[in-house]
Amino acid sequence: MIIAVTYENGEIFQHFGHTEQFKLYEVENGKIVKSEIMNSNGSGHGALAGLLKMFGVDVLICGGIGGGAQTALANAGIKLFGGVKGDADEAVEAYLAGVLEFNPNVKCNHHGEGHTCGDHHHEDGHECGNHTCGGNCGNHN
């Protein structure tokens, strides 16, 4: 099995379509046997699913992801675990242990007045994952 994680500086990058790197984990018998960092080469939303399929990815762990990318991943047979934050290696270990916390309804839609990213609502000008909306969102804990 191959697990991909949107990746930046050891953390899960929070916007699938803008990720510049994936960390790929090769798993055998429930254990990570190899990992490597792969550049996305600026592929963009639609092409990223094809790129992951080309590398034999079975599972994607990421932060925010839009509906079109979710559909492309489903069509490529890649299982999605979105809305995940924090350390990439720890997330994969949690997935393998069956305790990964994710949001099955994660969205990152940049069309319209505002958009949702995970469980948060933000106005235009916000980047998914950074959550720097000046405290005006009202949905942050």
Side-chain angles (χ1 to χ4, degrees), residues 46-65:
L48 289 173
L51 182 68
L52 293 175
K53 184 175 183 176
M54 187 175 75
F55 281 95
V57 171
D58 301 293
V59 172
L60 171 69
I61 298 172
C62 68
I65 183 169

Side-chain angles (χ1 to χ4, degrees), residues 2 4 22 24 36 38-41 43 46-59 72-73 75-78:
I2 297 177
F22 290 98
L24 302 181
E36 63 181 307
M38 175 190 80
N39 289 324
S40 68
N41 298 321
S43 296
L48 289 173
L51 182 68
L52 293 175
K53 184 175 183 176
M54 187 175 75
F55 281 95
V57 171
D58 301 293
V59 172
L73 289 168
N75 290 340
I78 298 171

Side-chain angles (χ1 to χ4, degrees), residues 5-8 13 15-22 40 42 48:
V5 179
T6 53
Y7 189 78
E8 183 178 63
F13 186 70
H15 192 154
F16 173 78
H18 290 253
T19 193
E20 294 183 9
Q21 295 181 319
F22 290 98
S40 68
L48 289 173

Side-chain angles (χ1 to χ4, degrees), residues 30-140:
K31 302 279 184 204
I32 298 169
V33 294
K34 179 181 168 189
S35 67
E36 63 181 307
I37 296 171
M38 175 190 80
N39 289 324
S40 68
N41 298 321
S43 296
H45 295 84
L48 289 173
L51 182 68
L52 293 175
K53 184 175 183 176
M54 187 175 75
F55 281 95
V57 171
D58 301 293
V59 172
L60 171 69
I61 298 172
C62 68
I65 183 169
Q70 290 180 28
T71 300
L73 289 168
N75 290 340
I78 298 171
K79 293 179 187 169
L80 170 65
F81 294 86
V84 182
K85 296 178 183 171
D87 183 86
D89 294 347
E90 289 176 9
V92 172
E93 291 291 349
Y95 171 79
L96 293 174
V99 296
L100 178 66
E101 291 186 23
F102 67 99
N103 179 356
N105 300 313
V106 68
K107 300 220 182 336
C108 202
N109 180 358
H110 293 279
H111 304 288
E113 288 288 313
H115 69 274
T116 57
C117 183
D119 293 326
H120 308 292
H121 176 78
H122 302 280
E123 299 305 317
D124 282 339
H126 166 79
E127 273 189 48
C128 293
N130 290 343
H131 295 223
T132 55
C133 53
N136 297 326
C137 297
N139 291 340
H140 294 284

